[in-house]
Amino acid sequence: MALHARIRNYTTEFESCRLEAVSLEFGDYHPLKPITVTESKTKKMSRKGSTSSTSSSSSSSVMDPLSSVLDGTDPLSLFAATADPVTAADSTRKKRDKEDHLAVGSDFEPWSSKRGEILARYTTTEKLSIVSKVTTPGSAVSEKVRTRLEELDDLEEGSQKELLNLTQQDYINRIEELNQSLKDAWSSDQKVKALKIVIQCSKLLSDTTVIQFYPSKFVLITDILDTFGKLVYERILSMCVDSRVSLPDNFTPESINDTAKETCLNWFFKIASIRELIPRFYVEAAILKCNKFLSKTGISECLPRLTSMIRGIGDPLVAVCARAYLCRVGMEVAPHLKESLNKNFFDFLLTFKQIHGDTVQNQLVVQCVEIPLYLTLYSPAIDWILQCIAYRAPEGLLTEMMERCKKLGNNALLLNSVMSAFRAEFIAARSMDFIAMIKECDESGFPKHLLFRSLGLNLALADPPESDRLQILNEAWKVITKLKNPQDYINCAEVWVEYTCRHFTKREVNTVLADVIKHMTPDRAFEEAYPQLQSIIQKVITYFHDFSILFSVEKFLPFLDMFQKECVRVEVCKCIMEAFIKHQQESTKDPVILNALLHVCKTMHDSVNALTLEDEKRMLAALINGFIKMVSFGRDFEQQLSFYVEARSMFCNLEPVLVQLIHSVNQLAMETRKVMKGNHSRKTAAFVRACVAFCFITIPSLSSIFARLNLYLHSGQVALANQCLSQADAFFKAAVSLVPEVPKMINIDGKMRPSETFLLEFLCNFFSTLLIVPDHPEQGVLFLVRGLLNVIQDYTWEENCDDKIRIYTNVLHLLSAMTQETYIYHVDKVDSNDTLYGGDSKFLAEINKVCETVITQILDHLKTLGKDEALKRQSQLALYFFNTILAHGDLRNNKLNQLSVNLWNLAQKHGFADTKTMVKTLEYIKKRSKQPEMSHFAELALRLPLQSRT
Amino acid sequence: MGTALDIKIKRANKVYHCGEVLSGVVVITSKDTVQHQGISLTMEGAVNLQLSAKSVGMFEAFYNSVKPIQIINSTLEMVKPGKLPSGKTEIPFEFPLLVKGNKVLYETYHGVFVNIQYTLRCDMRRSLLAKDLTKACEFIVHSQPQKGKLMPSPVDFTITPETLQNVKERALLPKFLIRGHLNSTNCIVTQPLMGELVVENAEAAIKSIELQLVRVETCGCAEGYARDATEIQNIQIADGDVCRGLPIPVYMVFPRLFTCPTLETTNFKVEFEVNIVVLLHDDHLITENFPLKLCRM
């Protein structure tokens, strides 16, 4: 049976089908448009659109949608920020001011961020010991206060167990155990035991053996105290909530009931009777907040008292930590009480001379701790105190503090803390003074490089006066460059690089980098300093967005050579490439940049091996692709091509890069065509052929079969567009011969999926292209179509699947399009079969022959389905075929008409047809019948019965 | 478990003064109805004196303890014999705190040889088959605030090797000079003891400075009297070798129950003292004693 294709006049059909012309407005809303687009990005997008219209698979590299969301404003925080004024509008302005005053703002660096740093910094390998009492359960806890007090005494003088020779980790674990048992005791209502544990813990703070661990110990134990303070406060608060009416946050003591007050008072009396000074201080400070239950002025009376209580602590380190804790609690509970903070600092200054006293010195000798190390132990506490003081403090106070520190013999320890705690702007404005002070400092005490580091950190945040800038750098670097120890040196240099980049040109940066190289190369010192070196690179990149300048910094590449460990090296390369893709606005052909970046990309590429993770590969490929897309030699197409050739040889291990290269080369060919307005000269024709050849030999090296198929097709189209007919044939032939190799299952995002849908999609696409491919004069008619059909025939299709038949049906679409006098579309300057054969009857007969074969195949299949009782599938396929005939067949032909009626009936025969679809189809036929020359549709409609649902 | 008896005093801190009305509820909880022979409530207040073995000897101390001095004692029949319903029953009560004759309601004080204590006791008498139930509960009496204004009596002190008594070899003592003052030795019980102390100089390192609160209890009886000083609490105000020339606060909260206004009666006396104890690193112990006069305002 032959398909008698309907004669189509595509032009009139277009006319009739075309919707009323409505000018599209890509203005306000489009469902597929990204939701957040910032200005700079739209700019980039448009550029990309113009250069790489053909590539869709690799466009993800330049703009990662996820990261672009992140580096923009985070919608949540944005929301929070906008939500704030709303609440503020509710409450009165006055109240808000007051709250500002009472609470610490978010600009105050919280303790929690410091604690990790301290724990990591102050460590020891020496053995530690804990003196603790074996907690004996029972002992008949009587209600009497008296026994309780006796127990407290008992705890202090009673049987004690000493845990000796603990490693640091054991010690930390032990303290964690204590923390846990505190919570347990509390939850099992053993308040006295809980108090005992807290006293135990705070007693550990009076022990200064293994002094280098003391700051960490302080952190660990004050954690427990915080827990305790919170437990007590919440317990008393819960007693106030009688009738499920919770207290407002700013409750007054009058609203507290007597029982709660009495309980609270009890705690204070109990604590007041603790024998030893240090535990008494810490435990009272821990529950400082509870004073709110007793009186309004309680906290403001307690703070000064506790402050002066610390004077009784003899050891200066223990005392300063106690002060830090008090300030910390004070800031949390009553940040408006600034006087105690200042008082704490002044008291500390008064006792400062103790550090150099005999008691301390003797202790250091016993413990074999050097003075510089000892002094650094003070930093966390002093930093914290000064930070509390400096928080929103007036300039005058800061100046006064500084003067006071100066008076104390310009002490380096204090100077360092001042620099790390005070506002960066304040420090930056006085940088020259600070440098002078640092120089005057005593060499033997606090390490000087730490001072310069602190100063550098400030200068990275705030700018010193314009006139001083160069002098500051010179003075600082003079000292830094003299540092002998590479670690000290690099820690300082890392910080100062940022200052240099911020304020100076590439010349200074080059000098600095050269100096770093000089210091870090001997004895391969750089091996120990990769994090710092990496951070230096990052800082340089952050400040130098112009890569032509960056790479003209002579020492930049030699600096990169210091990263000799491969993983670090690749990390650095990635950073550079990310920055390049992010900041490079225009495509470039600068040989310096190209050379350097090719080198960088090569490094990344060469790190890929069998063990590299898929994600890592994807990331590297995306970066390299981003680079490739940014390279443009303008009208010098040949140079461009040779760059691609070079890139191919360099990045052959990363498939996505090869894919990108093929796309780029194809694009180059199309660009050439555009320039020549479709008429290639001899020279451009040769060039285009070279492009095509590039693609042809590159594609087979890809492993992904669909990438290969699509690229063959794509490149074939490009070749066709450039009038390279034989090359196009070669591509299509290659595609055809590749189809049998398509596996049943393919791996997509790590999951195995059936490949048929992809294949179906590809083949349909392929057929559409084949329509316009002219036949080869030496090969037979429809050589490619036949070839493809044979391949489809031989391909082992999934059983129980009708994809093959669907494809056959689609082939019918192609074949009927081929019989038309003029094809629906053409390639400019390429004569398709319609022109070649001019509707020759032999040609049409050939097509009909193919049609017959295909239709026979389809009908056979329908029969088999009927036998196999796969009736639903049969119904669907029948309808599909029916629709094809309806669209493409000439139904005036009786045979075809009868076939369609049969198909219609077959579709409905077993009740598997969707009634709605059938009704719609019938309606469509009736509608069509009203069109001119379609009157035979009316007859057809009469012959198509609708089966009512049974 | 059956029946539970509890006394709840109205005031959370259980503190009452002479002339006030002590009120509260007796709470009886039971699953079943309770059969009883009457419930009574007794209020008692007494001074217990104990002679120390040190002053009168072991034998006498054991046998010759002085008879308690009763201050107040009254009983109240709350419920006549009968039945109480199951569940929770609350029976409110009120006791006027009044003394007979010339007796005085001394302030509650828990000491070693002198104890002044007030209790409320609830008794539920029951038939032979069930045990009687008793619940006792202490309440606290504070004496009336003193009239008039307290005259502060500040004391300055200086401690040097020369000012010390009771020294064996003065020549071996390290040199030191400790100055300071107490704001007042006349103290209000509810207010902390305050003052300042400065270690001007000390040759030896200081180990610790402590405040020792001492009670001095005197019991009189037919055989004479016994006077004993014992420690109530010891509060460290300095730990380690403190900074020279820097004033260290002297601060001590008087513990409740263990201190009361200084008391002087015909039969017994309760007085308080504070010792400033300086402990040097070579284990020298320096003590300075200050008698205190406590009162309630």
Side-chain angles (χ1 to χ4, degrees):
Chain A
M1 190 176 289
L3 175 83
H4 294 272
R6 189 156 63 86
I7 311 292
R8 318 249 319 234
N9 186 337
Y10 290 118
T11 354
T12 49
E13 263 181 61
F14 271 135
E15 292 297 319
S16 65
C17 295
R18 189 170 294 158
L19 291 169
E20 218 177 313
V22 177
S23 67
L24 277 179
E25 283 193 32
F26 297 101
D28 304 325
Y29 173 73
H30 187 275
L32 296 179
K33 222 161 100 172
I35 299 162
T36 47
V37 179
T38 59
E39 266 186 333
S40 66
K41 273 171 208 150
T42 47
K43 208 159 107 194
K44 234 194 276 175
M45 287 264 278
S46 66
R47 175 184 52 70
K48 203 183 76 192
S50 71
T51 54
S52 63
S53 54
T54 52
S55 74
S56 56
S57 61
S58 51
S59 64
S60 61
S61 66
V62 172
M63 235 203 11
D64 178 5
L66 289 179
S67 68
S68 68
V69 167
L70 286 182
D71 63 28
T73 40
D74 172 11
L76 285 182
S77 60
L78 203 78
F79 178 71
T82 51
D84 198 23
V86 178
T87 49
D90 293 345
S91 60
T92 58
R93 178 79 195 150
K94 206 170 176 185
K95 193 176 163 196
R96 207 174 118 83
D97 284 350
K98 196 177 157 199
E99 276 164 8
D100 268 1
H101 176 65
L102 285 178
V104 179
S106 55
D107 51 338
F108 186 76
E109 190 188 354
W111 174 256
S112 49
S113 69
K114 300 246 178 195
R115 73 179 281 283
E117 204 179 300
I118 298 175
L119 285 179
R121 184 165 161 203
Y122 299 98
T123 55
T124 181
T125 50
E126 282 188 46
K127 296 292 181 191
L128 301 154
S129 61
I130 291 183
V131 182
S132 72
K133 186 190 164 234
V134 203
T135 38
T136 45
S139 76
V141 182
S142 97
E143 295 163 353
K144 282 191 175 177
V145 188
R146 168 172 192 155
T147 32
R148 289 193 177 185
L149 283 174
E150 275 171 2
E151 275 179 12
L152 289 184
D153 286 347
D154 187 36
L155 180 82
E156 277 154 14
E157 278 123 6
S159 57
Q160 285 182 339
K161 189 175 102 181
E162 210 164 341
L163 291 171
L164 291 167
N165 286 334
L166 296 171
T167 63
Q168 183 182 327
Q169 195 50 46
D170 290 344
Y171 192 90
I172 293 170
N173 294 344
R174 174 76 192 127
I175 288 180
E176 188 40 51
E177 268 171 41
L178 282 171
N179 200 355
Q180 197 48 49
S181 55
L182 164 68
K183 285 179 192 160
D184 293 346
W186 190 269
S187 55
S188 61
D189 221 38
Q190 292 175 281
K191 308 284 190 295
V192 179
K193 189 178 166 195
L195 180 61
K196 271 192 226 168
I197 293 170
V198 174
I199 294 174
Q200 277 290 345
C201 293
S202 36
K203 239 157 102 176
L204 296 175
L205 284 175
S206 57
D207 175 20
T208 53
T209 49
V210 195
I211 203 156
Q212 57 270 47
F213 183 62
Y214 192 83
S216 292
K217 182 159 84 173
F218 168 74
V219 168
L220 293 171
I221 288 171
T222 51
D223 280 353
I224 299 185
L225 287 165
D226 286 345
T227 315
F228 176 73
K230 217 191 293 158
L231 288 173
V232 173
Y233 183 81
E234 276 162 11
R235 159 110 180 100
I236 298 176
L237 196 66
S238 73
M239 295 174 84
C240 304
V241 190
D242 287 331
S243 47
R244 291 198 188 85
V245 182
S246 57
L247 281 174
D249 279 345
N250 47 351
F251 57 85
T252 55
E254 290 80 45
S255 57
I256 305 300
N257 65 35
D258 284 347
T259 328
K261 269 189 190 164
E262 188 59 24
T263 314
C264 188
L265 214 56
N266 244 328
W267 278 111
F268 281 110
F269 271 109
K270 235 176 263 178
I271 289 164
S273 68
I274 296 173
R275 201 186 100 84
E276 281 175 86
L277 175 67
I278 290 172
R280 181 153 32 91
F281 164 79
Y282 273 105
V283 181
E284 186 169 357
I287 65 160
L288 184 70
K289 199 176 177 188
C290 294
N291 272 298
K292 275 164 64 175
F293 295 112
L294 296 179
S295 76
K296 264 190 165 161
T297 53
I299 293 175
S300 57
E301 285 159 10
C302 253
L303 272 176
R305 184 170 58 73
L306 287 172
T307 304
S308 55
M309 193 163 156
I310 300 174
R311 290 180 171 194
I313 301 176
D315 189 292
L317 182 60
V318 178
V320 80
C321 284
R323 290 186 194 286
Y325 184 65
L326 188 61
C327 290
R328 181 171 128 201
V329 177
M331 278 307 268
E332 205 176 293
V333 176
H336 54 289
L337 297 172
K338 298 265 186 211
E339 296 78 25
S340 325
L341 299 176
N342 298 348
K343 181 86 168 55
N344 263 310
F345 186 63
F346 294 147
D347 272 2
F348 166 69
L349 293 185
L350 286 175
T351 56
F352 196 77
K353 54 180 187 266
Q354 272 184 294
I355 293 176
H356 303 286
D358 291 342
T359 320
V360 171
Q361 297 297 336
N362 292 340
Q363 195 188 4
L364 294 186
V365 170
V366 172
Q367 296 202 26
C368 304
V369 174
E370 306 257 339
I371 265 279
L373 175 67
Y374 177 68
L375 287 177
T376 56
L377 301 179
Y378 283 79
S379 290
I382 304 176
D383 286 1
W384 180 259
I385 296 173
L386 282 172
Q387 190 198 328
C388 292
I389 292 175
Y391 179 66
R392 294 193 182 162
E395 194 94 334
L397 180 71
L398 300 187
T399 323
E400 188 197 332
M401 292 286 171
M402 216 173 114
E403 287 305 316
R404 290 232 192 185
C405 297
K406 251 194 214 172
K407 265 185 212 148
L408 270 174
N410 213 350
N411 190 283
L413 169 64
L414 288 173
L415 203 56
N416 188 47
S417 292
V418 164
M419 285 191 289
S420 49
F422 282 13
R423 281 194 291 272
E425 296 80 27
F426 179 87
I427 309 291
R430 293 165 182 71
S431 312
M432 286 311 291
D433 297 349
F434 274 100
I435 288 183
M437 283 192 278
I438 294 173
K439 279 189 180 164
E440 282 165 30
C441 280
D442 187 13
E443 270 292 346
S444 64
F446 198 78
K448 235 176 212 186
H449 63 93
L450 289 184
L451 290 171
F452 272 103
R453 190 180 142 81
S454 301
L455 183 61
L457 283 173
N458 279 301
L459 292 175
L461 292 173
D463 301 337
E466 184 88 54
S467 52
D468 291 349
R469 287 181 188 169
L470 186 61
Q471 203 186 346
I472 291 171
L473 182 64
N474 284 335
E475 293 288 345
W477 207 266
K478 227 185 278 169
V479 180
I480 295 170
T481 193
K482 278 182 200 138
L483 290 171
K484 293 262 161 36
N485 182 336
Q487 274 300 321
D488 293 349
Y489 171 81
I490 196 69
N491 281 331
C492 253
E494 179 204 345
V495 170
W496 279 87
V497 162
E498 180 154 11
Y499 174 73
T500 319
C501 293
R502 198 179 159 108
H503 298 297
F504 300 98
T505 59
K506 66 171 193 180
R507 197 173 71 91
E508 287 81 1
V509 175
N510 192 37
T511 322
V512 168
L513 291 183
D515 195 57
V516 173
I517 295 173
K518 202 177 91 194
H519 274 80
M520 300 313 286
T521 315
D523 301 330
R524 300 177 70 80
F526 52 78
E527 282 178 346
E528 304 293 311
Y530 283 138
Q532 290 95 331
L533 293 174
Q534 220 173 328
S535 134
I536 289 179
I537 287 285
Q538 245 151 10
K539 281 167 185 161
V540 173
I541 293 174
T542 324
Y543 284 97
F544 286 87
H545 288 169
D546 189 338
F547 275 71
S548 56
I549 296 182
L550 180 66
F551 286 119
S552 64
V553 174
E554 283 159 32
K555 292 292 178 184
F556 188 76
L557 289 177
F559 194 91
L560 288 185
D561 288 341
M562 282 201 293
F563 297 98
Q564 296 196 349
K565 194 170 152 195
E566 186 164 53
C567 58
V568 187
R569 200 175 167 80
V570 171
E571 274 311 308
V572 172
C573 290
K574 276 199 227 167
C575 276
I576 296 173
M577 287 318 294
E578 269 163 21
F580 177 77
I581 291 171
K582 196 168 167 196
H583 297 298
Q584 186 73 21
Q585 295 292 338
E586 282 158 17
S587 41
T588 177
K589 58 174 180 178
D590 184 335
V592 179
I593 297 184
L594 292 190
N595 244 325
L597 287 184
L598 270 178
H599 175 70
V600 167
C601 287
K602 178 99 177 105
T603 314
M604 294 202 293
H605 169 265
D606 291 352
S607 75
V608 174
N609 56 33
L611 295 176
T612 314
L613 295 173
E614 274 309 311
D615 267 351
E616 173 78 4
K617 278 194 210 165
R618 201 170 324 178
M619 166 117 194
L620 293 178
L623 289 172
I624 298 178
N625 283 348
F627 165 62
I628 290 173
K629 283 191 221 164
M630 290 311 289
V631 175
S632 162
F633 291 90
R635 295 293 288 267
D636 192 349
F637 291 157
E638 279 178 21
Q639 175 111 43
Q640 185 91 27
L641 182 63
S642 66
F643 168 75
Y644 290 142
V645 172
E646 192 186 353
R648 181 180 61 186
S649 66
M650 274 178 151
F651 308 126
C652 55
N653 282 335
L654 285 169
E655 266 189 31
V657 178
L658 293 181
V659 172
Q660 170 63 37
L661 285 171
I662 293 167
H663 280 301
S664 297
V665 169
N666 276 333
Q667 195 195 332
L668 192 63
M670 292 311 279
E671 201 77 9
T672 319
R673 181 176 176 272
K674 203 166 129 199
V675 170
M676 300 306 289
K677 301 206 175 65
N679 298 313
H680 283 298
S681 67
R682 178 176 298 206
K683 200 176 157 200
T684 57
F687 175 71
V688 166
R689 276 199 287 279
C691 289
V692 172
F694 175 97
C695 296
F696 193 73
I697 57 170
T698 311
I699 295 173
S701 62
L702 299 176
S703 70
S704 158
I705 191 127
F706 277 102
R708 261 189 283 166
L709 281 176
N710 285 319
L711 284 170
Y712 273 136
L713 178 57
H714 192 116
S715 307
Q717 288 166 346
V718 171
L720 204 55
N722 284 297
Q723 299 126 45
C724 306
L725 298 183
S726 56
Q727 283 85 348
D729 269 350
F731 278 118
F732 297 134
K733 262 189 233 166
V736 170
S737 54
L738 195 57
V739 169
E741 286 172 34
V742 173
K744 285 254 159 44
M745 307 291 272
I746 51 167
N747 185 345
I748 295 164
D749 293 335
K751 279 184 194 154
M752 295 307 285
R753 288 171 197 273
S755 62
E756 303 216 333
T757 44
F758 295 95
L759 187 58
L760 196 65
E761 189 187 316
F762 168 73
L763 288 175
C764 291
N765 199 354
F766 199 5
F767 287 139
S768 328
T769 311
L770 285 182
L771 173 64
I772 47 168
V773 180
D775 276 345
H776 195 279
E778 284 163 23
Q779 311 276 1
V781 177
L782 297 184
F783 159 69
L784 284 170
V785 178
R786 280 168 196 275
L788 190 51
L789 279 173
N790 286 337
V791 165
I792 294 169
Q793 177 72 34
D794 295 342
Y795 186 75
T796 39
W797 295 89
E798 192 82 31
E799 302 213 4
N800 302 323
C801 184
D802 308 319
D803 284 330
K804 182 173 159 188
I805 301 307
R806 276 174 215 282
I807 292 168
Y808 279 152
T809 320
N810 289 344
V811 170
L812 289 181
H813 301 178
L814 168 69
L815 292 173
S816 54
M818 278 184 158
T819 55
Q820 304 300 324
E821 206 168 308
T822 318
Y823 288 171
I824 186 164
Y825 43 78
H826 290 99
V827 179
D828 193 20
K829 304 211 165 41
V830 174
D831 290 332
S832 296
N833 284 344
D834 51 347
T835 331
L836 283 184
Y837 295 108
D840 181 63
S841 57
K842 255 186 184 165
F843 173 63
L844 293 181
E846 278 293 329
I847 294 179
N848 271 336
K849 241 162 92 191
V850 179
C851 268
E852 264 171 56
T853 327
V854 171
I855 291 177
T856 322
Q857 290 271 350
I858 296 174
L859 292 178
D860 281 353
H861 187 77
L862 283 174
K863 265 183 217 157
T864 354
L865 282 180
K867 270 184 219 148
D868 296 352
E869 302 286 306
L871 299 173
K872 187 166 184 182
R873 277 162 56 200
Q874 191 192 37
S875 156
Q876 280 172 352
L877 272 187
L879 191 63
Y880 190 56
F881 190 26
F882 173 80
N883 282 335
T884 305
I885 295 178
L886 201 62
H888 298 283
D890 183 359
L891 286 169
R892 280 172 293 202
N893 179 297
N894 283 338
K895 265 186 172 176
L896 209 54
N897 203 318
Q898 187 54 46
L899 175 63
S900 62
V901 174
N902 289 347
L903 284 172
W904 175 268
N905 289 332
L906 182 63
Q908 292 193 104
K909 194 171 170 188
H910 299 284
F912 282 105
D914 179 27
T915 321
K916 229 180 191 172
T917 321
M918 302 308 272
V919 172
K920 282 263 163 87
T921 314
L922 203 57
E923 271 172 21
Y924 167 76
I925 296 171
K926 284 177 184 160
K927 209 171 134 197
R928 284 292 299 274
S929 68
K930 284 174 190 134
Q931 286 171 357
E933 293 175 40
M934 287 295 185
S935 49
H936 58 283
F937 266 55
E939 283 165 47
L940 179 68
L942 290 176
R943 295 180 62 194
L944 301 179
L946 259 184
Q947 202 173 49
S948 58
R949 224 170 242 275
T950 46
Chain B
M1 125 107 227
T3 318
L5 200 61
D6 196 17
I7 304 174
K8 280 192 179 151
I9 295 174
K10 200 176 169 197
R11 291 186 189 167
N13 58 4
K14 300 178 179 178
V15 173
Y16 290 87
H17 299 89
C18 184
E20 285 179 339
V21 175
L22 169 63
S23 60
V25 283
V26 170
V27 185
I28 301 142
T29 32
S30 169
K31 277 183 192 146
D32 313 305
T33 50
V34 187
Q35 189 90 42
H36 65 93
Q37 310 283 240
I39 300 172
S40 63
L41 194 65
T42 312
M43 176 171 70
E44 273 179 327
V47 183
N48 283 296
L49 299 177
Q50 174 89 42
L51 294 178
S52 76
K54 198 169 67 192
S55 25
V56 291
M58 196 62 170
F59 193 68
E60 283 93 339
F62 195 68
Y63 283 100
N64 220 355
S65 58
V66 189
K67 233 171 72 182
I69 306 162
Q70 199 159 66
I71 307 168
I72 193 166
N73 191 359
S74 59
T75 307
L76 198 78
E77 192 68 26
M78 294 183 82
V79 187
K80 295 254 162 58
K83 266 188 184 172
L84 288 175
S86 63
K88 191 169 156 187
T89 315
E90 291 197 350
I91 309 163
F93 62 84
E94 282 192 343
F95 261 118
L97 270 181
L98 291 173
V99 281
K100 287 174 192 148
N102 57 352
K103 289 188 172 166
V104 189
L105 269 187
Y106 301 126
E107 185 160 328
T108 300
Y109 166 71
H110 293 193
V112 180
F113 304 107
V114 178
N115 259 304
I116 306 171
Q117 206 169 356
Y118 298 85
T119 47
L120 265 182
R121 201 181 67 241
C122 180
D123 294 292
M124 180 194 277
R125 289 178 300 283
R126 298 210 281 185
S127 61
L128 288 167
L129 291 170
K131 245 171 65 188
D132 290 357
L133 288 176
T134 300
K135 172 80 185 180
C137 153
E138 186 178 3
F139 67 95
I140 294 153
V141 170
H142 277 177
S143 54
Q144 294 292 357
Q146 268 179 24
K147 303 266 164 9
K149 221 180 156 193
L150 179 82
M151 290 303 289
S153 50
V155 206
D156 289 320
F157 58 87
T158 308
I159 315 171
T160 61
E162 289 71 39
T163 63
L164 298 180
Q165 299 157 353
N166 223 342
V167 189
K168 280 179 193 137
E169 284 181 86
R170 204 171 286 271
L172 289 180
L173 267 182
K175 283 210 177 92
F176 59 85
L177 169 61
I178 296 169
R179 254 197 266 272
H181 69 266
L182 295 181
N183 290 4
S184 173
T185 52
N186 286 346
C187 298
I188 305 172
V189 192
T190 52
Q191 304 284 314
L193 170 75
M194 297 217 273
E196 249 177 15
L197 180 145
V198 188
V199 180
E200 296 286 359
N201 58 58
E203 268 181 4
I206 289 164
K207 205 177 190 177
S208 171
I209 303 177
E210 286 152 24
L211 296 176
Q212 189 183 34
L213 182 64
V214 173
R215 59 192 148 216
V216 184
E217 294 164 319
T218 315
C219 300
C221 64
E223 289 84 16
Y225 71 93
R227 182 185 151 94
D228 293 282
T230 45
E231 180 186 293
I232 302 176
Q233 68 174 11
N234 196 335
I235 297 289
Q236 191 185 35
I237 58 167
D239 180 20
D241 199 15
V242 291
C243 187
R244 307 289 186 262
L246 191 70
I248 295 164
V250 170
Y251 182 91
M252 179 167 65
V253 176
F254 292 112
R256 295 186 296 186
L257 303 181
F258 303 106
T259 49
C260 65
T262 305
L263 192 58
E264 208 165 324
T265 70
T266 46
N267 295 337
F268 64 94
K269 275 202 273 190
V270 180
E271 294 156 303
F272 298 93
E273 288 174 0
V274 69
N275 289 328
I276 292 180
V277 184
V278 180
L279 204 67
L280 298 181
H281 231 277
D282 44 13
D283 284 336
H284 276 106
L285 187 90
I286 306 153
T287 308
E288 186 84 8
N289 177 275
F290 303 92
L292 299 177
K293 188 163 165 31
L294 300 188
C295 61
R296 185 175 291 280
M297 292 301 268

